[in-house]
Every structure is written in C-alpha cells, then in structure tokens.
Amino acid sequence: MPLLEEMTRVGANIVDHLILSHADNDHIKGAAALMAHDEVTVKALWANPDSTKLSEAFMDLLTVAADRHDRGLLNVHTNLNVGANGALDCGRIGVRILHPGILWAGVGPTRGKHPIGSITSNGMSAVIRVELDGSPAVLLPGDLDAKGFAEMQRVGVDMRAPVLVFPHHGGRSGSADNRKFASELAKAVQPDLVIFSHGRSNFVNPRKEIVDGIRDALGDRVQIACTQVSRACHASYLPDSIDARRGSYAKFACAGSLSITATSAGISWSPDVRRHSATVDSLESPLCRARDGFDAGRRVLQVEGE
C-alpha cells in the first residue's frame, strides 16, 4: 500500500522524522514528493551522504530538501549513525541506530582502494531498531550486506528484536553463501517474525536459500511473511481469492502491511497468522510454510525482560 494511502488510513499527516536508510532508488523514491506534499508536514529528514549515487531521484531528493531547509520548513540531518542516538526518540517509541558506526560513517561508501577497504551503499545502509516502551520491537536493516553485518558483529552490536524486516528484500547478500548469511543474521537477531518487504513485479524475492538459512537457524518456531505474493511462491496468475482484492497494490498482498503493537503481554502483530495462512493455502509453493506444517494460531510474543 502506498505510504500516503496508509497515512490517510491511520489519520496521520505529520512526520516527525523521515529516515532514509541509504540512497538506492527503491528506498528513497517518493520521499521528495512526500516532503513537498501540501497536506503533509515533514519536520526532519535523516539521510547519509553518498557521493557514489548519481541517480536523478537522489539529486531531486537533495534539491527538495535544500529548498525546504532554506525556507525554514525542514530540519536536515546528514549524520544517520550511532552518534545521533537519542535524537530520534518520539514518546514511547525509541529509535536506535545500530549501524553505521563512527568509523564507517566518517568514511562513507568508497570506490576503489581505501585503507578500510571497499564499502558499498548497501554496506552503509542504516540499521535501525525500533523500541516500544523500552523493549526491542522491530529491526530494520535496510539493504545491509554481508560486509556491513560483519562489521556489526566485529564491534559487538546487540541486534536482537522480536521482528526482523529482512535486508535487501530477501535478495543477494553480497556474500558467496547467501544461506549462511541468512542463518548467521537470524541467530544474531533471534526474531519470532521475519518479514520480507518486496514487490511481486520486480525481483523474485525472497530467495529460497535465504529462507532456508533462516530455518537452519531458527527452525519452524519462526513465522515468515511477505508483504506481497512472491513469484518464488506463486509463478502463475494469482488465485481469485487473492486477485479479487481491490487496489493495484492490495490485490498482490500476501501478509500485506503489518502493524506491530506492544502490549502488557509483549509484542504482537496484525494481520494475524490466520488471515495470512488463508492466502498461503492458495499458493503453488509457499516458501514461508514451516517444515512441519503452517502454524495457524495467532501468536502473542513475550519480550525478554517483561
């Protein structure tokens, strides 16, 4: 579902912090239009510099940001790294920047030889952990690649969270072994729910070896859900039970847009597993189905420490 439609649905027209993990087009597209929208107020933009990105979308974003900043309408922060922690919290919502660290942030994406080695835009992707009422809730790694993950491991970052939005939409990790990358990341995060956010019409994500790696680490206790029906799960036309949904985005939804909630019992999400399983049952070869069968019961997860 497009962002503006979702904001309208929940009655939101003010954005305190617009956070862009990195400068790839699929992570910034629409941000310039959102900042310039007449009915939406964006108070602050957070984005890291990236001189390796020459796209029209990135230049448009920076141009709009500069214009609104000059007119006193927007605060702009180009230090989306661990040094900015504490500046992004909003009430009961904590926003922790886990990566990049100061060393990588100071260097930024590199081309050619550099004393620290090559760093891609994906490796520099900001890794954000959202916390609700002081407890970890969702890890958002953007397009974090294997080298960026290795750097987080090297400095001992605590990445644990009940919900993981898997990096790079479940695509290639920049590692020679995507399955091992997925397994090691899943072990580090220990999620109860893994979400693959992707579009059906683009790449065939998530990759099977990524899903297999998650199962290697966590077994069948973890729930896996995609926002849209992956062509890896259903290559042919969508069944009527799915395609009958209205809207250009909604008709492709599998789990669709998920809401994460903190309660006294822990972290839960909706739509629940029952609705998701009804869609999964219509697919040809669903990757998310657990090896011993799909868990059709709703889960309410206990957050460690509560």
Side-chain angles (χ1 to χ4, degrees):
M1 181 179 292
L3 177 60
L4 284 173
E5 289 184 22
E6 182 68 9
M7 291 177 65
T8 299
R9 184 184 71 81
V10 300
N13 62 358
I14 297 176
V15 177
D16 289 319
H17 300 289
L18 176 59
I19 303 171
L20 303 178
S21 63
H22 63 304
D24 281 359
N25 282 1
D26 60 329
H27 288 256
I28 64 172
K29 189 176 181 180
L34 181 68
M35 289 188 292
H37 200 283
D38 291 338
E39 298 178 5
V40 175
T41 299
V42 178
K43 294 182 178 181
L45 170 68
W46 293 79
N48 285 323
D50 189 344
S51 62
T52 69
K53 289 298 177 184
L54 308 175
S55 70
E56 182 178 347
F58 189 42
M59 296 309 299
D60 285 348
L61 169 73
L62 297 178
T63 300
V64 171
D67 174 68
R68 296 190 72 78
H69 177 268
D70 292 344
R71 293 161 55 194
L73 301 174
L74 179 72
N75 291 319
V76 178
H77 305 274
T78 55
N79 61 323
L80 187 59
N81 59 66
V82 297
N85 275 326
L88 286 156
D89 296 344
C90 297
R92 59 189 287 260
I93 302 174
V95 179
R96 300 287 171 265
I97 307 167
L98 305 185
H99 177 79
I102 300 302
L103 180 61
W104 275 43
V107 172
T110 63
R111 282 181 171 174
K113 294 182 179 179
H114 190 279
I116 201 174
S118 64
I119 301 175
T120 66
S121 294
N122 285 352
M124 270 288 295
S125 181
V127 177
I128 306 293
R129 184 168 66 193
V130 178
E131 301 174 355
L132 297 176
D133 298 327
S135 295
V138 184
L139 189 73
L140 303 167
D143 276 354
L144 180 73
D145 66 11
K147 186 169 182 179
F149 175 52
E151 173 65 8
M152 295 180 72
Q153 290 181 304
R154 184 188 71 81
V155 298
V157 176
D158 180 358
M159 291 175 259
R160 289 174 294 178
V163 179
L164 167 65
V165 179
F166 201 89
H168 209 206
H169 322 284
R172 290 184 174 89
S173 64
S175 166
D177 191 335
N178 292 315
R179 183 167 181 165
K180 182 179 179 182
F181 167 81
S183 177
E184 291 182 350
L185 180 62
K187 288 177 184 176
V189 180
Q190 288 294 305
D192 295 285
L193 169 66
V194 175
I195 300 171
F196 291 103
S197 176
H198 63 82
R200 176 172 169 79
S201 60
N202 297 321
F203 299 100
V204 183
N205 292 328
R207 299 178 67 86
K208 183 180 184 301
E209 65 267 27
I210 293 288
V211 177
D212 288 342
I214 294 169
R215 293 290 188 202
D216 291 342
L218 303 175
D220 292 338
R221 72 168 182 81
V222 65
Q223 183 189 343
I224 297 174
C226 290
T227 53
Q228 291 194 17
V229 176
S230 171
R231 286 185 287 138
C233 300
H234 196 88
S236 57
Y237 288 108
L238 292 173
D240 290 341
S241 59
I242 299 173
D243 203 29
R245 300 178 188 181
R246 296 295 180 259
S248 59
Y249 288 85
K251 73 177 182 179
F252 298 133
C254 192
S257 298
L258 291 98
S259 299
I260 312 299
T261 305
T263 69
S264 58
I267 297 294
S268 65
W269 58 82
S270 63
D272 63 23
V273 179
R274 286 187 297 269
R275 177 180 144 184
H276 182 213
S277 65
T279 301
V280 168
D281 288 341
S282 302
L283 304 181
E284 295 165 346
S285 53
L287 295 176
C288 66
R289 190 179 297 277
R291 291 163 179 162
D292 62 353
F294 195 82
D295 176 9
R298 179 176 174 82
R299 297 185 188 181
V300 176
L301 308 177
Q302 295 299 316
V303 177
E304 183 174 321
E306 289 193 350

